[in-house]
Amino acid sequence: MQPVDLLRRAVRFGRPASCLLLLSTLAGCTCGAGRDAPTDQPDQRVVGLSPTPGELIQAAEWRRRVTIDVSVATRDQSAGIRARAALAIGRIGDPEHSEQLFRLLTDGHAEVRAAAAFALRLLAIDDQALRLRVARAFAARLAGERDAVVRQRLIVGLGWTDDGAAREQLRPLISSADTTAALTAWGLLGQRKILGPKDLRALVEPLERQVDTAPQLLAAWAAFRAGDVGRDPRLVAALQRTAERCFELTALKAQNQACLWAVRALGGAIDPIWFYRRLTSATPRLRVALIDALAHSEQRGGLLLARALPDLWRGVAANHHRLVGPELHAVLAAVEALGDLATKPTVIALARQLLELSDGGKSVVKYREDEAHSVDLVHCAAAALIDRGLRRVQHSAYCGTSRSTLLTVPMRRAFVARLIGKLDRQAKWKITLLERYLLDDDPLVREAAVASVAEIDDRLTLLPLTKALEDKNPSVLGAAAEAVKRQAAHLLGQRGLVKTLSRRLAGLNPLVDPEVSCSVIGALGKLRDRQVLPQLVALADSSSRAVRTCARQVLDQLGGRLPRSKQPWPSRALPDLSWAKQAALPKRAVIVTPKGEITIELFSEQTPATVANFARLAARRFYRGLVFHRVVPNFVVQGGDPQGTGWGGPGYTIPCELTPRPFERGSVGMALAGRDTGGSQFFIAVTRQPHLDGRYTQFGRVIAGMDVVDRLQVADRILDVHIPSRSYEKRPSQTD
């Protein structure tokens, strides 16, 4: 690079010191380098003082502050730099700089307009005041936009930001070249329950298209999100035909995801016998969808499901591959779905039958470890269902007779503690029973006991919750704060409780425990005590975006004044992102589990900080021995929490790197509790999930081992995560 080019860059980015040094270099000054220094070599100090625009934007993004470098970059001659600056403003999330994005929305380059549309969507999702203006700007721009990518961003953005006013503009697009984006927007609008019968009818045409197309999948998903499809008989018929074709075409049963959404959307809209008759012939994922539909078909559907329970288990237990495979999800989902009908004599009788069939202690078969784990999961689920029906803890305390080592003793105690809160008994009886679990040595058990207290709708919860708020473990504190939010109607006016919450909040680091901090802030808001306003005003200026947002929401509810300034992410609290600045970042990662290996392609170019953090944790063997603490069939599997409760992390948080990349089956995302709260927890999507697009950092995708993901169950362990040495590839340099 020529010195003149460096000078231009230094002037453009407002660095006087760099300009002076460059001028002296051009004038022939050696600046103490020695007379014999070679003149044909670039001055490394000069180059170091002039980082590329991409590096300046990246640094500002990680600090979560729109610096002068970012603002200047929005007017750069390079369209790539302008687009990168727009994305950074959206990721930083400062609405005060939205005007720059509105200007870029009319840029002459489609790449810049697309980035500005995505960035404005990111800003509007968390800012109610900005949302309507963004929706109007998107609707106006859509009328004259010709670029397909920009149109897609505008249409999906309307789904996130519009209040229903643009439905007439969006409806014709469902049958146009923009059908995929329009159906996504339709589903997002339906999720907010603002679609009428006429709007639902627009989904019929894409459902009737050839099986296994993206529009058909999104139309079925939109119908499920809208709910109450029974309002339109034509839509019900189209959904039923979509599902029927999948059952008829054997080759499409395994991979077609439109069937899953169509079946779930039909729950409660047709006779439940239709679902019941197809349970035995369905694939594992379709069977889970059928069970979900039966559970939403009122009491008759639930009783039909209970009747199928023993046969479902026999079909799974008779085969080793099914016992440790995805077929087990259907049995566990069926037992969980019957919880509300647990007191029915028919359900109790069939649950007893399942308990007997899954009693590993009486089996003549010697189970392997993974088989014993599956058997114990079913045995404990059946025991909990019976105990809910009998309204006492009897079978659950001794469940899991195969003695799987994966279900540890604390996990079993936590299981019982969670059950107690669901029993239909008096509050005093349940609180008395929970006392021993609230004092347990293991935080997993204490957190489960606090979550159980949250289920008790009574003023008697004051004492156990006050004690739980003093717990030193952050996950227990967070669970206690969530319980206070649920029981706030019984706790209003308790000044001692407010003081305890305020004191615990003052001792939390918002950058380390943003989720817990937000829970405590939310609890203070529910108690409506204005004496905490000064503390909330200080937190409304927090350097943690999530905590800042929570504090501002509560201040708005309590009528407090909002501060105008926002602190950047302090350099002393930044996670170690040095790996993200290396010339090489890993392109592959392998998650090793007892059920096989999962190979992930890492998106190191789009999400360098997230990939660097994941690789750094893997190199430290952080993930070794952790469990998948959350497994939701047909949704996600989630792991990476050192506490196993969903509240834990590595002791720091990293900034989000949101992209418009869709969450498909196999997408790997960073689990969050609000923007910029990621750490170590990650999830793998099992099916297409449009409502996650642009809300979570997607930093990879599964390229091998998706069958292993389908077989994972709660408490399955991560043996290790390793980065193959050959996966390190040189990254392209930042755009000049």
Side-chain angles (χ1 to χ4, degrees):
M1 184 175 293
Q2 297 299 319
V4 174
D5 295 330
L6 293 175
L7 177 60
R8 288 172 180 168
R9 182 175 299 142
V11 172
R12 181 173 60 190
F13 286 93
R15 298 186 179 277
S18 302
C19 297
L20 292 174
L21 185 56
L22 284 168
L23 286 171
S24 63
T25 303
L26 292 172
C29 176
T30 60
C31 301
R35 295 181 181 179
D36 297 327
T39 57
D40 59 342
Q41 296 295 325
D43 189 334
Q44 296 299 320
R45 294 172 301 160
V46 174
V47 175
L49 287 172
S50 299
T52 66
E55 292 171 345
L56 294 171
I57 295 170
Q58 184 74 82
E61 181 183 301
W62 286 346
R63 286 292 307 275
R64 284 303 186 249
R65 187 169 192 174
V66 180
T67 62
I68 186 63
D69 296 318
V70 177
S71 297
V72 170
T74 62
R75 298 182 180 275
D76 196 275
Q77 295 179 357
S78 168
I81 291 297
R82 296 199 302 276
R84 183 65 185 88
L87 177 62
I89 293 174
R91 287 176 171 178
I92 293 169
D94 190 347
E96 293 181 2
H97 295 271
S98 59
E99 293 300 332
Q100 300 179 60
L101 296 178
F102 283 114
R103 172 174 52 81
L104 293 176
L105 194 61
T106 60
D107 193 274
H109 286 76
E111 177 189 3
V112 181
R113 297 197 301 275
F118 179 68
L120 280 169
R121 167 186 147 190
L122 296 182
L123 292 183
I125 287 176
D126 297 327
D127 193 306
Q128 187 68 36
L130 184 63
R131 188 175 301 171
L132 184 58
R133 185 186 173 195
V134 169
R136 289 174 177 170
F138 282 1
R141 181 66 201 175
L142 182 61
E145 182 59 57
R146 294 292 177 265
D147 185 82
V149 175
V150 181
R151 288 182 63 84
Q152 186 266 343
R153 302 277 175 85
L154 294 171
I155 293 169
V156 174
L158 281 172
W160 283 107
T161 60
D162 189 58
D163 58 357
R167 284 182 297 170
E168 296 298 328
Q169 185 179 7
L170 289 174
R171 192 181 297 113
L173 300 180
I174 293 178
S175 302
S176 70
D178 299 311
T179 179
T180 301
L183 287 169
T184 303
W186 222 237
L188 296 171
L189 291 173
Q191 185 175 327
R192 302 205 295 275
K193 308 303 178 187
I194 57 178
L195 296 182
K198 183 180 178 181
D199 302 317
L200 292 177
R201 196 170 301 124
L203 299 174
V204 173
E205 192 270 335
L207 283 169
E208 297 290 357
R209 296 181 185 179
Q210 184 180 357
V211 177
D212 202 23
T213 62
Q216 186 189 53
L217 185 156
L218 290 170
W221 169 78
F224 170 75
R225 284 288 168 183
D228 195 15
V229 298
R231 291 178 290 169
D232 191 328
R234 290 177 56 188
L235 178 59
V236 172
L239 287 166
Q240 199 165 351
R241 284 192 294 270
T242 299
E244 285 282 9
R245 284 197 296 266
C246 294
F247 284 106
E248 294 168 1
L249 301 174
T250 307
L252 290 175
K253 283 184 180 180
Q255 70 268 24
N256 187 269
Q257 298 182 50
C259 302
L260 306 180
W261 294 114
V263 167
R264 294 183 69 185
L266 287 169
I270 62 174
D271 192 336
I273 197 69
W274 188 92
F275 307 113
Y276 176 74
R277 288 174 177 170
R278 288 159 177 78
L279 274 175
T280 55
S281 62
T283 59
R285 287 194 290 153
L286 264 176
R287 193 172 296 159
V288 172
L290 289 167
I291 288 169
D292 181 76
L294 281 169
H296 289 85
S297 299
E298 299 181 348
Q299 184 170 317
R300 186 179 173 219
L303 294 177
L304 285 170
L305 181 57
R307 188 192 303 175
L309 201 53
D311 289 336
L312 283 174
W313 172 243
R314 289 190 187 99
V316 171
N319 183 289
H320 160 73
H321 296 289
R322 294 175 185 169
L323 190 58
V324 297
E327 291 83 0
L328 186 67
H329 288 304
V331 181
L332 296 173
V335 177
E336 183 178 355
L338 291 170
D340 292 337
L341 299 175
T343 56
K344 299 293 181 183
T346 303
V347 175
I348 294 176
L350 291 167
R352 286 185 184 278
Q353 190 176 346
L354 178 62
L355 185 73
E356 186 70 20
L357 290 170
S358 59
D359 190 345
K362 297 180 180 179
S363 175
V364 296
V365 179
K366 187 174 182 179
Y367 293 115
R368 298 185 332 196
E369 178 57 42
D370 54 350
E371 295 173 331
H373 180 49
S374 297
V375 173
D376 281 354
L377 285 175
V378 175
H379 193 252
C380 286
L385 185 60
I386 296 171
D387 286 354
R388 285 188 68 175
L390 299 177
R391 300 190 307 155
R392 61 175 180 264
V393 179
Q394 180 177 339
H395 302 83
S396 301
Y398 308 101
C399 71
T401 52
S402 298
R403 296 301 166 192
S404 165
T405 57
L406 294 177
L407 285 180
T408 62
V409 174
M411 286 181 182
R412 294 172 189 271
R413 293 203 302 270
F415 176 76
V416 176
R418 286 189 178 274
L419 170 67
I420 294 172
K422 299 177 182 178
L423 300 180
D424 187 17
R425 297 291 295 266
Q426 292 183 348
K428 185 176 181 180
W429 182 89
K430 290 194 281 189
I431 290 174
T432 302
L433 207 59
L434 284 169
E435 285 179 353
R436 57 179 292 197
Y437 297 99
L438 289 167
L439 299 174
D440 196 277
D441 292 335
D442 196 292
L444 180 67
V445 182
R446 299 199 302 275
E447 188 269 336
V450 172
S452 209
V453 171
E455 302 283 342
I456 305 172
D457 189 16
D458 195 278
R459 190 178 180 83
L460 292 175
T461 58
L462 173 61
L463 182 59
L465 289 180
T466 302
K467 293 180 178 179
L469 287 173
E470 299 289 355
D471 199 293
K472 295 181 179 180
N473 186 276
S475 64
V476 181
L477 172 60
E482 289 295 318
V484 170
K485 289 164 65 175
R486 294 188 60 177
Q487 302 296 330
H490 302 292
L491 304 175
L492 292 175
Q494 297 294 332
R495 285 294 183 91
L497 193 64
V498 172
K499 290 180 179 179
T500 301
L501 284 165
S502 178
R503 174 167 48 80
R504 293 309 309 271
L505 180 60
L508 291 171
N509 185 338
L511 291 170
V512 175
D513 294 306
E515 184 176 7
V516 179
S517 299
C518 276
S519 294
V520 176
I521 291 170
L524 288 169
K526 289 290 185 179
L527 295 178
R528 292 183 286 186
D529 194 319
R530 293 177 60 85
Q531 69 176 358
V532 299
L533 287 180
Q535 186 177 18
L536 294 178
V537 169
L539 289 172
D541 192 25
S542 171
S543 53
S544 168
R545 176 193 173 98
V547 173
R548 185 169 68 236
T549 302
C550 294
R552 286 172 175 262
Q553 289 174 349
V554 173
L555 274 174
D556 187 53
Q557 295 169 8
L558 299 180
R561 292 187 60 184
L562 299 178
R564 297 188 60 183
S565 61
K566 298 181 181 67
Q567 295 295 327
W569 201 311
S571 57
R572 66 180 182 280
L574 272 172
D576 183 6
L577 299 177
S578 58
W579 282 31
K581 301 176 183 178
Q582 296 182 116
L585 277 175
K587 297 290 185 179
R588 298 283 189 276
V590 179
I591 302 174
V592 184
T593 76
K595 295 182 177 179
E597 294 185 349
I598 305 166
T599 304
I600 299 173
E601 176 190 0
L602 300 172
F603 303 145
S604 56
E605 294 179 16
Q606 296 88 354
T607 57
T610 309
V611 169
N613 176 68
F614 184 75
R616 180 171 176 266
L617 291 173
R620 290 168 47 196
R621 298 293 183 260
F622 177 88
Y623 292 110
R624 182 177 290 179
L626 302 187
V627 301
F628 289 97
H629 62 276
R630 185 181 183 216
V631 177
V632 184
N634 289 342
F635 183 39
V636 298
V637 298
Q638 185 171 326
D641 178 8
Q643 298 186 33
T645 61
W647 290 87
Y652 59 83
T653 54
I654 63 173
C656 288
E657 295 176 304
L658 303 176
T659 66
R661 185 188 293 269
F663 272 88
E664 306 280 359
R665 171 170 162 82
S667 296
V668 183
M670 182 63 62
L672 304 173
R675 192 79 68 85
D676 299 335
T677 60
S680 59
Q681 292 190 46
F682 63 92
F683 65 87
I684 303 174
V686 181
T687 57
R688 174 78 173 97
Q689 302 294 334
H691 67 289
L692 302 183
D693 299 350
R695 299 301 304 272
Y696 295 82
T697 301
Q698 183 182 162
F699 65 96
R701 67 182 181 95
V702 176
I703 56 176
M706 200 60 204
D707 58 320
V708 177
V709 176
D710 289 333
R711 295 198 300 271
L712 291 175
Q713 299 290 344
V714 171
D716 275 338
R717 294 200 174 276
I718 301 173
L719 299 181
D720 203 359
V721 176
H722 63 84
I723 311 294
S725 58
R726 293 184 180 180
S727 73
Y728 285 87
E729 299 179 11
K730 187 174 181 180
R731 294 173 59 203
S733 60
Q734 295 275 6
T735 307
D736 286 346

